[in-house]
Amino acid sequence: GAVVSQHPSRVICKSGTSVKIECRSLDFQATTMFWYRQFPKQSLMLMATSNEGSKATYEQGVEKDKFLINHASLTLSTLTVTSAHPEDSSFYICSAYKQGMNTEAFFGQGTRLTVV
Amino acid sequence: DAKTTQPPSMDCAEGRAANLPCNHSTISGNEYVYWYRQIHSQGPQYIIHGLKNNETNEMASLIITEDRKSSTLILPHATLRDTAVYYCIVRVPGGATNKLIFGTGTLLAVQP
């Protein structure tokens, strides 16, 4: 199966700082990637759709200025959590479809963010 | 995407078949049924999908009722490593948004 890789897998940062999470499709191209957030014992919540070469589309209630998304190439999307606060501590997961094949989504292993 | 309903949790004995139900009574004609699972602290993993015929792959079988209002994911011989949250999602492949919206899923606990 196709591989989606996230980096880092875990990160701890101080309140007020920014953190960048990378999502890479290792063996396929993806024009669209998706970012999710998951709090403990809850389901995945879609945050935004990342579109290569254009602006991301954010779900209702997600602050676009706080969660900056860049999709500069067909294999890389980044999520930057700006001015992080403890309530941003969560599990962040990205996913992608193979370009031209929208049957199954491939997910990264997730990034555990802890803001102290 | 249509809404799905799943039991919050289920137990299964190791080596036995695990049958996970899903109701999707408002599914529309062009929506497929997808199943994913999420093992603790990992990203979700695709399992199987189908439209109206039963499907089988190396991981599981998917049984869809004739009226398509419900389906069952079958893990034929559950192992401890199958303990995970299983999500049933209905969507149109290649649809305009391609978004996968996750419900609450079923926590399957495989017991030794």
Side-chain angles (χ1 to χ4, degrees):
Chain A
V3 178
V4 174
S5 177
Q6 282 183 242
H7 177 80
S9 56
R10 290 179 179 271
V11 58
I12 300 173
C13 72
K14 293 183 178 179
S15 288
T17 62
S18 296
V19 174
K20 181 185 286 187
I21 302 170
E22 293 185 346
C23 177
R24 294 182 184 272
S25 55
L26 297 186
D27 51 358
F28 66 97
Q29 294 184 329
T31 53
T32 305
M33 292 184 176
F34 302 87
W35 287 96
Y36 294 83
R37 179 168 55 180
Q38 186 176 32
F39 293 109
K41 298 188 185 299
Q42 296 187 20
S43 185
L44 287 80
M45 185 194 79
L46 180 65
M47 300 175 66
T49 302
S50 170
N51 303 298
E52 188 267 336
S54 65
K55 291 182 179 180
T57 304
Y58 290 82
E59 295 298 304
Q60 191 172 9
V62 178
E63 300 175 59
K64 62 179 181 180
D65 294 330
K66 179 168 183 63
F67 300 99
L68 302 180
I69 292 173
N70 183 277
H71 194 153
S73 77
L74 287 172
T75 59
L76 174 64
S77 175
T78 61
L79 168 67
T80 301
V81 182
T82 63
S83 186
H85 292 285
E87 56 265 32
D88 298 323
S89 298
S90 188
F91 193 51
Y92 291 86
I93 306 167
C94 69
S95 76
Y97 293 94
K98 285 185 177 181
Q99 189 176 20
M101 298 177 61
N102 296 318
T103 54
E104 61 185 276
F106 299 95
F107 288 81
Q109 75 273 32
T111 296
R112 176 75 59 191
L113 170 64
T114 303
V115 184
V116 298
Chain B
D1 289 344
K3 182 177 171 134
T4 63
T5 305
Q6 299 176 252
S9 64
M10 293 182 64
D11 286 348
C12 176
E14 189 177 19
R16 304 297 292 269
N19 298 286
L20 293 99
C22 179
N23 286 319
H24 31 79
S25 58
T26 60
I27 192 170
S28 57
N30 59 348
E31 287 182 314
Y32 283 63
V33 180
Y34 286 78
W35 283 84
Y36 287 81
R37 74 179 182 183
Q38 185 180 27
I39 295 170
H40 183 62
S41 294
Q42 296 183 23
Q45 175 190 23
Y46 165 82
I47 301 173
I48 199 168
H49 74 280
L51 180 63
K52 55 183 178 181
N53 297 322
N54 297 338
E55 302 287 344
T56 296
N57 63 20
E58 65 278 5
M59 289 183 69
S61 295
L62 174 60
I63 308 298
I64 303 174
T65 57
E66 192 169 343
D67 63 7
R68 301 209 325 122
K69 293 185 176 182
S70 65
S71 60
T72 301
L73 178 74
I74 301 173
L75 307 179
H77 305 288
T79 71
L80 298 178
R81 290 180 295 179
D82 292 321
T83 292
V85 178
Y86 288 76
Y87 296 98
C88 168
I89 301 170
V90 294
R91 63 177 284 266
V92 178
T97 65
N98 261 334
K99 293 191 283 191
L100 269 181
I101 305 298
F102 287 80
T104 53
T106 296
L107 173 58
L108 175 68
V110 180
Q111 309 291 344

mmCIF file of all heavy atoms in Angstrom, chain A residues 1 104, chain B residues 45-48 55-61 74-77 82:
data_model
loop_
_atom_site.group_PDB
_atom_site.id
_atom_site.type_symbol
_atom_site.label_atom_id
_atom_site.label_comp_id
_atom_site.label_asym_id
_atom_site.label_seq_id
_atom_site.Cartn_x
_atom_site.Cartn_y
_atom_site.Cartn_z
ATOM 1 N N GLY A 1 0.814 -1.197 0.000
ATOM 2 C CA GLY A 1 0.000 0.000 0.000
ATOM 3 C C GLY A 1 0.849 1.248 0.000
ATOM 4 O O GLY A 1 2.052 1.199 0.220
ATOM 5 N N GLU A 104 -9.337 4.836 -1.735
ATOM 6 C CA GLU A 104 -8.980 4.673 -0.329
ATOM 7 C C GLU A 104 -7.995 5.747 0.086
ATOM 8 O O GLU A 104 -7.104 6.119 -0.669
ATOM 9 C CB GLU A 104 -8.367 3.288 -0.089
ATOM 10 C CG GLU A 104 -7.096 3.036 -0.876
ATOM 11 C CD GLU A 104 -6.586 1.613 -0.703
ATOM 12 O OE1 GLU A 104 -5.884 1.372 0.288
ATOM 13 O OE2 GLU A 104 -6.888 0.776 -1.566
ATOM 14 N N GLN B 45 -6.285 3.030 9.366
ATOM 15 C CA GLN B 45 -5.857 2.097 8.320
ATOM 16 C C GLN B 45 -7.077 1.665 7.530
ATOM 17 O O GLN B 45 -8.098 1.279 8.109
ATOM 18 C CB GLN B 45 -5.183 0.881 8.976
ATOM 19 C CG GLN B 45 -4.799 -0.223 8.016
ATOM 20 C CD GLN B 45 -4.374 -1.483 8.748
ATOM 21 O OE1 GLN B 45 -4.734 -1.709 9.900
ATOM 22 N NE2 GLN B 45 -3.592 -2.314 8.079
ATOM 23 N N TYR B 46 -6.973 1.732 6.222
ATOM 24 C CA TYR B 46 -8.069 1.278 5.359
ATOM 25 C C TYR B 46 -8.233 -0.238 5.480
ATOM 26 O O TYR B 46 -7.237 -0.979 5.554
ATOM 27 C CB TYR B 46 -7.747 1.645 3.912
ATOM 28 C CG TYR B 46 -8.594 0.939 2.871
ATOM 29 C CD1 TYR B 46 -9.860 1.396 2.542
ATOM 30 C CD2 TYR B 46 -8.112 -0.204 2.231
ATOM 31 C CE1 TYR B 46 -10.626 0.753 1.580
ATOM 32 C CE2 TYR B 46 -8.875 -0.852 1.273
ATOM 33 C CZ TYR B 46 -10.129 -0.371 0.950
ATOM 34 O OH TYR B 46 -10.877 -1.018 0.017
ATOM 35 N N ILE B 47 -9.494 -0.687 5.518
ATOM 36 C CA ILE B 47 -9.746 -2.122 5.573
ATOM 37 C C ILE B 47 -10.376 -2.620 4.284
ATOM 38 O O ILE B 47 -9.841 -3.487 3.600
ATOM 39 C CB ILE B 47 -10.670 -2.474 6.759
ATOM 40 C CG1 ILE B 47 -10.044 -2.037 8.078
ATOM 41 C CG2 ILE B 47 -10.946 -3.990 6.781
ATOM 42 C CD1 ILE B 47 -10.979 -2.204 9.272
ATOM 43 N N ILE B 48 -11.524 -2.053 3.931
ATOM 44 C CA ILE B 48 -12.286 -2.584 2.819
ATOM 45 C C ILE B 48 -13.367 -1.592 2.448
ATOM 46 O O ILE B 48 -13.713 -0.720 3.241
ATOM 47 C CB ILE B 48 -12.898 -3.956 3.209
ATOM 48 C CG1 ILE B 48 -13.310 -4.771 1.973
ATOM 49 C CG2 ILE B 48 -14.067 -3.776 4.180
ATOM 50 C CD1 ILE B 48 -13.632 -6.235 2.318
ATOM 51 N N GLU B 55 -17.927 -8.047 -0.307
ATOM 52 C CA GLU B 55 -16.526 -7.952 -0.677
ATOM 53 C C GLU B 55 -15.659 -8.689 0.332
ATOM 54 O O GLU B 55 -16.010 -8.756 1.512
ATOM 55 C CB GLU B 55 -16.079 -6.486 -0.740
ATOM 56 C CG GLU B 55 -16.853 -5.613 -1.701
ATOM 57 C CD GLU B 55 -16.535 -5.890 -3.158
ATOM 58 O OE1 GLU B 55 -15.504 -6.550 -3.435
ATOM 59 O OE2 GLU B 55 -17.308 -5.434 -4.037
ATOM 60 N N THR B 56 -14.552 -9.221 -0.144
ATOM 61 C CA THR B 56 -13.598 -9.899 0.736
ATOM 62 C C THR B 56 -12.195 -9.559 0.297
ATOM 63 O O THR B 56 -11.908 -9.515 -0.898
ATOM 64 C CB THR B 56 -13.807 -11.421 0.693
ATOM 65 O OG1 THR B 56 -15.095 -11.739 1.216
ATOM 66 C CG2 THR B 56 -12.764 -12.142 1.539
ATOM 67 N N ASN B 57 -11.338 -9.316 1.263
ATOM 68 C CA ASN B 57 -9.908 -9.177 0.977
ATOM 69 C C ASN B 57 -9.138 -9.913 2.062
ATOM 70 O O ASN B 57 -9.718 -10.653 2.870
ATOM 71 C CB ASN B 57 -9.496 -7.713 0.828
ATOM 72 C CG ASN B 57 -9.701 -6.904 2.096
ATOM 73 O OD1 ASN B 57 -9.798 -7.458 3.198
ATOM 74 N ND2 ASN B 57 -9.774 -5.597 1.942
ATOM 75 N N GLU B 58 -7.838 -9.707 2.092
ATOM 76 C CA GLU B 58 -7.000 -10.456 3.021
ATOM 77 C C GLU B 58 -7.242 -10.054 4.477
ATOM 78 O O GLU B 58 -6.855 -10.782 5.386
ATOM 79 C CB GLU B 58 -5.525 -10.272 2.669
ATOM 80 C CG GLU B 58 -5.004 -8.864 2.822
ATOM 81 C CD GLU B 58 -5.322 -7.977 1.627
ATOM 82 O OE1 GLU B 58 -6.031 -8.435 0.707
ATOM 83 O OE2 GLU B 58 -4.873 -6.806 1.629
ATOM 84 N N MET B 59 -7.872 -8.927 4.685
ATOM 85 C CA MET B 59 -8.098 -8.473 6.056
ATOM 86 C C MET B 59 -9.475 -8.848 6.580
ATOM 87 O O MET B 59 -9.621 -9.191 7.755
ATOM 88 C CB MET B 59 -7.950 -6.951 6.141
ATOM 89 C CG MET B 59 -6.531 -6.445 6.000
ATOM 90 S SD MET B 59 -6.461 -4.659 6.205
ATOM 91 C CE MET B 59 -6.852 -4.503 7.945
ATOM 92 N N ALA B 60 -10.498 -8.716 5.721
ATOM 93 C CA ALA B 60 -11.862 -8.823 6.230
ATOM 94 C C ALA B 60 -12.853 -9.093 5.107
ATOM 95 O O ALA B 60 -12.493 -9.070 3.931
ATOM 96 C CB ALA B 60 -12.239 -7.520 6.940
ATOM 97 N N SER B 61 -14.102 -9.319 5.521
ATOM 98 C CA SER B 61 -15.221 -9.411 4.585
ATOM 99 C C SER B 61 -16.222 -8.332 4.926
ATOM 100 O O SER B 61 -16.381 -7.965 6.096
ATOM 101 C CB SER B 61 -15.890 -10.786 4.668
ATOM 102 O OG SER B 61 -15.007 -11.801 4.236
ATOM 103 N N ILE B 74 -16.670 -8.259 8.872
ATOM 104 C CA ILE B 74 -16.342 -9.526 9.527
ATOM 105 C C ILE B 74 -14.833 -9.736 9.507
ATOM 106 O O ILE B 74 -14.202 -9.741 8.443
ATOM 107 C CB ILE B 74 -17.027 -10.708 8.820
ATOM 108 C CG1 ILE B 74 -18.547 -10.519 8.829
ATOM 109 C CG2 ILE B 74 -16.653 -12.024 9.498
ATOM 110 C CD1 ILE B 74 -19.307 -11.548 8.014
ATOM 111 N N LEU B 75 -14.268 -9.874 10.707
ATOM 112 C CA LEU B 75 -12.878 -10.312 10.844
ATOM 113 C C LEU B 75 -12.954 -11.798 11.166
ATOM 114 O O LEU B 75 -13.394 -12.167 12.254
ATOM 115 C CB LEU B 75 -12.175 -9.547 11.959
ATOM 116 C CG LEU B 75 -12.240 -8.021 11.910
ATOM 117 C CD1 LEU B 75 -11.500 -7.425 13.104
ATOM 118 C CD2 LEU B 75 -11.663 -7.490 10.613
ATOM 119 N N PRO B 76 -12.570 -12.676 10.255
ATOM 120 C CA PRO B 76 -12.885 -14.096 10.412
ATOM 121 C C PRO B 76 -12.225 -14.775 11.614
ATOM 122 O O PRO B 76 -12.828 -15.651 12.236
ATOM 123 C CB PRO B 76 -12.420 -14.713 9.096
ATOM 124 C CG PRO B 76 -11.477 -13.729 8.508
ATOM 125 C CD PRO B 76 -11.893 -12.384 8.990
ATOM 126 N N HIS B 77 -11.017 -14.391 11.931
ATOM 127 C CA HIS B 77 -10.316 -15.005 13.066
ATOM 128 C C HIS B 77 -9.589 -13.884 13.814
ATOM 129 O O HIS B 77 -8.432 -13.588 13.540
ATOM 130 C CB HIS B 77 -9.313 -16.045 12.585
ATOM 131 C CG HIS B 77 -9.905 -17.115 11.713
ATOM 132 N ND1 HIS B 77 -10.727 -18.108 12.204
ATOM 133 C CD2 HIS B 77 -9.818 -17.321 10.380
ATOM 134 C CE1 HIS B 77 -11.110 -18.894 11.203
ATOM 135 N NE2 HIS B 77 -10.580 -18.432 10.086
ATOM 136 N N ASP B 82 -6.009 -7.118 16.507
ATOM 137 C CA ASP B 82 -7.185 -6.500 15.877
ATOM 138 C C ASP B 82 -7.920 -5.569 16.834
ATOM 139 O O ASP B 82 -8.911 -4.939 16.443
ATOM 140 C CB ASP B 82 -8.134 -7.583 15.364
ATOM 141 C CG ASP B 82 -7.553 -8.366 14.194
ATOM 142 O OD1 ASP B 82 -6.893 -7.735 13.335
ATOM 143 O OD2 ASP B 82 -7.757 -9.594 14.144
#
